[in-house]
Amino acid sequence: MTTEDNAATAKLEKMTANLAKIEALSARLMAALAQKKLSDPGVQGPGQEIYMKAAAAYLAGMMQNPGKVLEQQIAYWGKTMKHYVEAQAALASGEIRVPADPGPKDRRFSNPLWDTHPAFNYLKQQYLFNAEAVQNAVADLESIDPGDKKRIEYFTKQIVDMLSPTNFLGTNPDALEKALATDGESLVRGLENLVSDIEANNGEVAVTLADREAFVLGENIATTPGSVVFRNRMLELIQYAPTTKKVFQTPLLIFPPWINKFYVMDLKPQNSLIKWIVDQGFTLFVVSWVNPDASYADVGMDDYIREGYLTAMAEVRRITDQAQINAVGYCIAGTTLSLALSHLYRAGDTSVKSATFFTMLTDFSDPGEVGVFLDNDFLDGIERQSNADGMLSKTFMSRTFSYLRSNDLIYAPAIKSYMMGEAPPAFDLLYWNGDGTNLPCKMAIEYLRGLCQDNGLAEGTYKVFGHKVSLEDIQIPVCAVACETDHIAHWRGSFNGFKQMGSADKTFIVSQSGHVAGIINPPSKGKYGHYTKEGDVAGAPDDWMAEATFNQGSWWPSWGEWLAKQSGKQISARIPGDSGSPVLCAAPGTYVLNAQKTPTD
């Protein structure tokens, strides 16, 4: 037998073995899919009404201006026929060449075969023609509410993106090339990845974005030294160990969002906002929220304010023996900090000296991209599902936010994992992104209905402990940091809410980049700059930006200077436990590990 025969035999044996693995994995796949629980249709997609509105608007356009619709169709048909004729001519010439490709570059089609192979090029160009035609038709819809049109545009784009030829094995040259090069091994690994993800998510398809085994909290992520110095059913309070001999007298307390875990601010020492704050000489406390289960179903926003905000503030004052603290609220925690500050003002409580808000919305009259999920079709479904489960599952929230960037957070990772058979990367930020939390049923509905949908805080109708609160009640010095390309809390919306606060001392900063990267932007990287402007925070956000000054580098030092002015004199550094308050355990604590035992201390 020749060397070639031996190689062919080995190849055949490898492919046969891979086929056997695929058969076994297919059985596992069916068993994993069977674990999926039925969920309310309202959390799976928009209601039928939006499709009816789109169809009615399109038909109305046809009746009112048939020439315009016909023009669109003829332009689409013309491009399609011209492309077909050019492709046929190229094939008939006997040359392996493709027709001219004048369209803009799309990183989904980066494989050279999309530009050089006639079949793949035809698929790509025709898909882009189809996508353009559909999106143009939606953009030209008239006689429709602007809010409905925005939702139709968004969900149309989701469908168009889903149908990209890159998302299907038979039309993805990268996946096909790798399958041939590995004798099918990549497809086996991809199926293993798919089955593992479905098994890990109880029948749901949710692609793993980062290696789950690459990080251990407290060992190679969330490692800034500190101690848990207080615990109740809602939170663990972490006091971080000082790194300077002297510290500012007024302590700083950060409330992170309870939609995610706090350690996004402490991924590694090089980009840790927590470590940077400590290194600047601030006594830092950070709340680590509990990850609620169904037993927290009746916990509402008032409970978060009472047992979370007010309790943590009181503990920090007690531990440091200070009458006042500075506070930070991040995302939804910033919105809730606004509620708490309004309540404190009306109660005559001056225990908060200044407040900072990261990527926060308080005025939801224009909620940005997230607004497509705030109509009754989704919220009714979320309410029914949350009442049934006792909580709003992290699965639904994670999926919603991922679809705001579906090509980056769903399709591209799925292609690499399931079609290419690649292992997820050891990426700390993506690891954190996949380590989500649930929301208590009552709190989730109060937030979505009362604050997001009804815009209760900006309208002055939302109640805390039975009394209405208002942005005008926030009279202390305040600073807000928004992010220029934030798709969750857009900077214009953040500006519009922030300017309504009653404080005479308002500082607004816009960081380059998005919801996370814009905040976690250490000075050492010199990556993203920020915008600042002296004077009042008033008028239209775009007018503010037109007059703002661009500053190279991170916003952290600018904020640090502002915070130092609110923090009093320098005193000897405080050590966790030196006040007589017991140290319960080392940071990052137990709640971040999903421990949900009701504490006895």
Side-chain angles (χ1 to χ4, degrees):
M1 184 176 287
T2 66
T3 303
E4 290 80 4
D5 291 336
N6 287 333
T9 301
K11 228 173 178 29
L12 180 61
E13 289 175 351
K14 186 177 180 180
M15 291 189 70
T16 302
N18 284 334
L19 287 172
K21 290 179 182 178
I22 288 175
E23 185 176 352
L25 285 167
S26 297
R28 273 181 62 194
L29 176 63
M30 293 300 103
L33 289 171
Q35 298 175 19
K36 182 177 180 179
K37 296 180 180 178
L38 292 177
S39 58
D40 193 283
V43 301
Q44 302 297 338
Q48 293 298 316
E49 185 180 2
I50 196 68
Y51 299 104
M52 297 300 295
K53 288 179 178 179
Y58 188 74
L59 288 173
M62 290 178 62
M63 299 293 291
Q64 295 167 7
N65 194 351
K68 184 178 181 180
V69 175
L70 190 59
E71 181 182 357
Q72 288 177 342
Q73 290 296 315
I74 290 174
Y76 168 68
W77 294 337
K79 284 184 179 180
T80 298
M81 289 302 297
K82 181 175 181 290
H83 185 220
Y84 176 77
V85 170
E86 289 174 344
Q88 287 293 321
L91 290 173
S93 70
E95 300 178 21
I96 302 299
R97 62 183 179 87
V98 299
D101 187 354
K105 293 297 181 182
D106 187 320
R107 63 181 178 178
R108 290 176 295 178
F109 302 104
S110 58
N111 188 302
L113 287 175
W114 290 114
D115 295 324
T116 60
H117 191 284
F120 285 116
N121 182 263
Y122 182 81
L123 279 171
K124 179 191 77 168
Q125 290 207 54
Q126 192 57 50
Y127 165 75
L128 294 175
F129 291 155
N130 295 344
E132 181 185 40
V134 171
Q135 289 171 336
N136 285 344
V138 171
D140 287 339
L141 289 178
E142 299 176 353
S143 304
I144 189 168
D145 177 78
D148 289 333
K149 184 176 181 179
K150 186 176 181 179
R151 299 189 83 214
I152 292 167
E153 289 174 336
Y154 173 82
F155 291 114
T156 297
K157 185 178 184 302
Q158 291 299 318
I159 295 170
V160 168
D161 288 345
M162 180 181 65
L163 294 176
S164 169
T166 54
N167 294 336
F168 300 90
L169 176 62
T171 52
N172 186 311
D174 291 301
L176 293 173
E177 285 178 333
K178 190 159 188 179
L180 288 172
T182 61
D183 299 317
E185 183 68 26
S186 62
L187 298 181
V188 174
R189 292 198 300 267
L191 186 55
E192 287 176 338
N193 291 341
L194 174 63
V195 172
S196 295
D197 282 348
I198 294 174
E199 289 175 338
N201 292 283
N202 300 315
E204 296 281 351
V205 180
V207 63
T208 298
L209 298 178
D211 184 352
R212 295 189 186 102
E213 307 301 322
F215 299 100
V216 178
L217 289 171
E219 293 185 12
N220 60 353
I221 193 170
T223 59
T224 300
S227 304
V228 174
V229 292
F230 174 79
R231 181 188 295 128
N232 64 13
R233 68 165 184 157
M234 298 300 297
L235 62 84
E236 288 184 326
L237 182 65
I238 301 172
Q239 180 181 356
Y240 283 91
T243 57
T244 57
K245 291 183 178 180
K246 296 286 187 178
V247 296
F248 289 100
Q249 184 173 32
T250 305
L252 178 66
L253 171 59
I254 296 181
F255 294 98
W258 53 88
I259 289 177
N260 296 104
K261 296 181 180 177
F262 80 91
Y263 67 89
V264 68
M265 296 181 287
D266 192 28
L267 295 174
K268 56 189 174 218
Q270 296 90 329
N271 64 358
S272 172
L273 176 57
I274 285 174
K275 183 179 185 305
W276 183 87
I277 291 171
V278 172
D279 288 345
Q280 308 315 301
F282 295 99
T283 301
L284 178 63
F285 294 80
V286 175
V287 164
S288 174
W289 298 104
V290 72
N291 183 14
D293 56 19
S295 67
Y296 284 74
D298 293 330
V299 169
M301 192 67 78
D302 281 355
D303 298 300
Y304 270 87
I305 294 173
R306 180 186 297 107
E307 298 179 55
Y309 285 74
L310 303 185
T311 298
M313 290 173 180
E315 287 298 318
V316 171
R317 295 198 311 275
R318 180 185 64 81
I319 290 170
T320 60
D321 193 27
Q322 292 295 308
Q324 289 187 306
I325 66 166
N326 293 317
V328 175
Y330 194 159
C331 192
I332 184 177
T335 309
T336 313
L337 177 58
S338 299
L339 298 175
L341 292 174
S342 176
H343 161 73
L344 290 175
Y345 173 79
R346 297 196 173 202
D349 188 320
T350 60
S351 58
V352 179
K353 190 175 183 180
S354 77
T356 302
F357 307 95
F358 297 161
T359 63
M360 171 202 67
L361 286 180
T362 51
D363 184 343
F364 289 86
S365 57
D366 177 13
E369 293 181 54
V370 179
V372 299
F373 297 104
L374 295 178
D375 274 41
N376 281 330
D377 51 359
F378 272 110
L379 295 195
D380 289 348
I382 287 173
E383 187 164 5
R384 291 190 297 266
Q385 188 69 52
S386 299
N387 282 326
D389 296 340
M391 60 186 182
L392 176 56
S393 169
K394 63 181 181 181
T395 301
F396 297 122
M397 291 186 293
S398 175
R399 184 172 59 197
T400 297
F401 289 129
S402 292
Y403 270 111
L404 293 174
R405 291 291 181 270
S406 57
N407 284 325
D408 294 331
L409 295 177
I410 297 177
Y411 301 127
I415 289 168
K416 289 181 179 179
S417 184
Y418 305 151
M419 292 189 199
M420 309 287 286
E422 298 178 6
F427 187 7
D428 53 5
L429 182 58
L430 291 180
Y431 177 87
W432 165 83
N433 188 69
D435 189 16
T437 56
N438 307 312
L439 298 184
C441 172
K442 183 178 179 180
M443 190 286 305
I445 301 308
E446 287 176 341
Y447 174 74
L448 292 171
R449 295 287 194 193
L451 291 170
C452 298
Q453 193 176 56
D454 297 340
N455 199 22
L457 179 53
E459 298 290 336
T461 59
Y462 194 87
K463 292 182 179 180
V464 172
F465 307 139
H467 301 284
K468 292 179 181 179
V469 290
S470 169
L471 290 170
E472 294 180 358
D473 296 336
I474 301 174
Q475 302 283 338
I476 59 176
V478 286
C479 176
V481 183
C483 297
E484 191 174 17
T485 58
D486 195 332
H487 60 285
I488 295 174
H490 65 128
W491 78 266
R492 292 177 179 85
S494 180
F495 179 94
N496 285 331
F498 184 66
K499 73 180 182 182
Q500 296 175 47
M501 291 184 179
S503 172
D505 184 354
K506 293 196 284 281
T507 299
F508 192 71
I509 300 171
V510 176
S511 173
Q512 289 185 311
S513 195
H515 191 70
V516 174
I519 296 298
I520 310 305
N521 179 29
S524 59
K525 285 191 175 182
K527 193 170 184 180
Y528 302 119
H530 62 285
Y531 299 87
T532 56
K533 178 180 176 293
E534 296 291 334
D536 292 340
V537 179
D542 288 318
D543 292 339
W544 181 93
M545 181 62 80
E547 298 175 1
T549 300
F550 178 73
N551 307 274
Q552 293 286 349
S554 171
W555 59 270
W556 294 7
S558 297
W559 174 63
E561 291 177 9
W562 179 89
L563 185 61
K565 295 175 182 177
Q566 321 298 328
S567 300
K569 64 182 181 180
Q570 295 274 318
I571 62 172
S572 297
R574 304 175 175 105
I575 309 298
D578 64 0
S579 66
S581 182
V583 169
L584 304 182
C585 66
T590 61
Y591 281 6
V592 75
L593 304 175
N594 294 329
Q596 293 175 330
K597 294 179 180 179
T598 301
T600 56
D601 51 336

